[in-house]
Amino acid sequence: MRPERPVSPSRRTVLAATATAGAATVATGTATAAEASNASTRPPATAQPPTPELRALLREIDPARIEATVRRLVSFGTRHTLSTQDDPVRGIGAARDWILGEMRAYAATSGGRMTAELQSYVQEPAPRIPTATRITNIVATLRGSVTPERVYVVSGHYDSRVTDVMDATSDSPGADDDASGVAVAMELARVMARRRPAATIVFAAVAGEEQGLYGAAHMAARFKAAGTDVQGMFTNDIVGASRADDGTKDPYTIRLFAEGVPTSETPEQAATRRSVGGENDSPSRQLARFVRDTADNPATGMRVRVVYRRDRYRRGGDHIPFLEQGYAAARFTEPAEDFAHQHQDVRVEDGKQYGDLPEFCDFPFTARVARVNAAALWTLAQAPGAPRSARILTAALTNSTELVWERGAEPDLAGYEVVWRETTASEWTHVIPVGDVTSHEVDLSKDNVFFGVRAVNRRGLKSPVTFPSPQP
């Protein structure tokens, strides 16, 4: 016998609560500001506590291994994209071969589930590439055991630079930018290789970032050409230090940059967005909310500060080629950068040390960043995929809202939840369990609030939210 469908909130109840909150705002003034501050630090209504399985995984992430990886990458002298590729001890080729060897060693523990390979192509002359240059990514793929066609990607870039972006011979340690991000991806590969995710996870070290995001662009284009269902991508770029240029430290915060209006938005999609809203509801923003839901908690020891930008001001990273291909992607970066220790020649001036050296890194901090990545990635891979084809029916003008979506193919799918929030809220504030159905009507006007839909499996793990489009 089919269980009764849960009762949605009453429109009158919500309107009364909203009116009461508005009256409280007028009456209390400063108290409301304090309440707003408390609300900003409270877990979202959609938060997912870490499972025992996830807690065990997070405990295996090792700051000492992350430090050893960073120092080994620094030992190659320079990892500039245009540096030598056939010297066994110096240059980007030596770094490439070492990373591949480590990834293959991790894969050897996976029982055949993980493979590691080089992904190469020749980049013809282009901006910051004066002659034809082989660019090589190292890609380790941990195949999912239930829905392997669903893919999540985590990366860092292993190339480095100094003050002159074309200087391919000077020492360019690149400890923070971006041996730290590579160390995160490699540590996750090591820890997860022995486990069985339901979906596929790709751990990548890409080249050519400093010259123009070339390696990531090649990888994203290959995924797109193959029709790969990449449902989320994270790049870790400059995640090695917690000290800002003024000496202040924030070792328990990581920034996550997530775009609003999608880079790949078509004119038709833009017209819909202008009509119904959704500037804060792109797939990348839903991915960022999911990171907050799963990784901003005591198990990681970190606060995830979501920044509503594609990247830092007028700068870019390896998630952008994925955004250009229409994939949801976001960038992790330390809370405040020290520019004396990135993109700088190694030197001492007026008693101040410049250069991206490992002594300026905070390896326990980077390990906590790895835990944030791990919490989000592992939950993504174990939970159902985000619902597809979510729509709000608009043929009839009513003060209620009917949502429809396609049922997922996961064998352990248990059902769905409808989520909603005020249009001025940044996080989902209400969750309505609706059961194993593909439609649900809520007694709230689509004109007044935003809705979303997420999937739930039998273990209680929830997918990222899908923001619905209007269906006439």
Side-chain angles (χ1 to χ4, degrees):
M1 182 173 168
R2 198 182 196 92
E4 275 189 34
R5 287 169 61 154
V7 177
S8 293
S10 160
R11 177 166 68 249
R12 290 184 179 179
T13 301
V14 172
L15 290 175
T18 303
T20 301
T25 300
V26 173
T28 61
T30 56
T32 302
E35 289 168 3
S37 176
N38 290 337
S40 69
T41 59
R42 220 178 287 135
T46 46
Q48 301 189 53
T51 63
E53 174 190 49
L54 176 56
R55 288 181 182 275
L57 186 157
L58 297 181
R59 285 194 294 270
E60 292 183 27
I61 292 172
D62 186 351
R65 284 183 175 271
I66 287 173
E67 178 175 1
T69 297
V70 170
R71 292 188 181 277
R72 188 71 176 96
L73 289 170
V74 169
S75 75
F76 296 111
T78 178
R79 304 188 307 277
H80 194 283
T81 298
L82 305 177
S83 65
T84 177
Q85 298 199 21
D86 54 11
D87 188 313
V89 297
R90 183 178 176 85
I92 195 166
R96 171 201 64 210
D97 295 344
W98 179 79
I99 296 169
L100 177 63
E102 293 295 296
M103 290 294 209
R104 283 182 170 167
Y106 306 152
T109 70
S110 72
R113 293 183 301 278
M114 179 185 281
T115 58
E117 61 184 358
L118 298 179
Q119 183 187 84
S120 297
Y121 81 105
V122 174
Q123 175 61 52
E124 296 300 326
R128 297 186 178 184
I129 305 286
T131 60
T133 301
R134 180 167 294 279
I135 292 178
T136 303
N137 303 323
I138 303 97
V139 180
T141 303
L142 179 59
R143 185 172 174 80
S145 59
V146 180
T147 52
E149 68 281 357
R150 183 161 52 96
V151 176
Y152 301 95
V153 180
V154 60
S155 78
H157 70 86
Y158 72 102
D159 60 307
S160 62
R161 62 164 288 187
V162 289
T163 305
D164 179 359
V165 71
M166 302 304 291
D167 181 350
T169 58
S170 296
D171 278 353
S172 177
D176 192 6
D177 186 12
D178 183 38
S180 66
V182 174
V184 166
M186 291 178 66
E187 182 68 356
L188 296 185
R190 182 188 72 84
V191 169
M192 293 184 183
R194 300 183 301 277
R195 291 175 161 83
R196 293 179 178 271
T200 296
I201 306 175
V202 173
F203 312 88
V206 302
E209 193 272 350
E210 301 289 8
Q211 306 309 110
L213 314 181
Y214 288 104
H218 178 69
M219 181 167 58
R222 284 187 56 162
F223 279 133
K224 193 68 174 181
T228 306
D229 184 18
V230 177
Q231 293 201 8
M233 182 271 183
F234 301 113
T235 186
N236 288 266
D237 195 351
I238 313 178
V239 294
S242 59
R243 185 185 297 272
D245 52 4
D246 64 357
T248 58
K249 293 193 70 175
D250 188 358
Y252 299 102
T253 299
I254 185 68
R255 287 184 292 174
L256 180 60
F257 289 87
E259 72 174 11
V261 176
T263 295
S264 61
E265 185 179 67
T266 66
E268 293 76 17
Q269 290 168 337
T272 298
R273 175 179 51 77
R274 287 192 293 269
S275 172
V276 303
E279 295 84 357
N280 195 18
D281 282 283
S282 67
S284 295
R285 289 278 165 88
Q286 306 303 348
L287 187 64
R289 290 187 179 106
F290 185 90
V291 175
R292 279 262 289 130
D293 286 348
T294 58
D296 189 327
N297 55 48
T300 66
M302 291 290 273
R303 169 182 173 250
V304 179
R305 180 181 182 183
V306 177
V307 181
Y308 287 165
R309 279 200 173 103
R310 187 171 73 169
D311 207 310
R312 296 145 311 147
Y313 207 81
R314 300 195 69 185
R315 299 173 74 184
D318 285 324
H319 59 308
I320 292 177
F322 282 79
L323 295 171
E324 290 170 343
Q325 296 291 352
Y327 296 129
R331 173 189 178 133
F332 287 107
T333 297
E334 62 201 31
E337 299 166 73
D338 186 341
F339 301 107
H341 302 138
Q342 59 176 265
H343 295 191
Q344 292 282 350
D345 293 338
V346 179
R347 67 194 191 280
V348 177
E349 279 185 12
D350 300 325
K352 180 180 177 66
Q353 177 70 62
Y354 289 82
D356 192 353
L357 298 163
E359 52 259 43
F360 298 111
C361 290
D362 177 346
F363 299 111
F365 167 78
T366 306
R368 287 191 292 276
V369 175
R371 291 186 186 108
V372 168
N373 277 260
L377 275 169
W378 190 252
T379 310
L380 283 165
Q382 297 295 73
R388 296 185 182 276
S389 301
R391 298 285 187 270
I392 290 179
L393 302 186
T394 60
L397 294 177
T398 70
N399 279 315
S400 62
T401 302
E402 186 173 0
L403 297 107
V404 298
W405 56 89
E406 291 181 3
R407 191 180 190 279
E410 292 87 355
D412 64 343
L413 185 66
Y416 293 88
E417 294 176 343
V418 170
V419 300
W420 64 274
R421 70 181 199 273
E422 293 288 337
T423 62
T424 52
S426 60
E427 304 279 1
W428 299 109
T429 54
H430 297 75
V431 178
I432 309 167
V434 299
D436 191 359
V437 297
T438 56
S439 66
H440 186 76
E441 186 170 354
V442 185
D443 189 21
L444 293 172
S445 172
K446 53 191 160 290
D447 296 330
N448 297 337
V449 300
F450 285 137
F451 290 97
V453 183
R454 67 176 181 175
V456 186
N457 68 14
R458 294 191 192 112
R459 288 180 290 173
L461 297 175
K462 287 97 183 263
S463 75
V465 170
T466 297
F467 187 70
S469 301
Q471 178 175 308

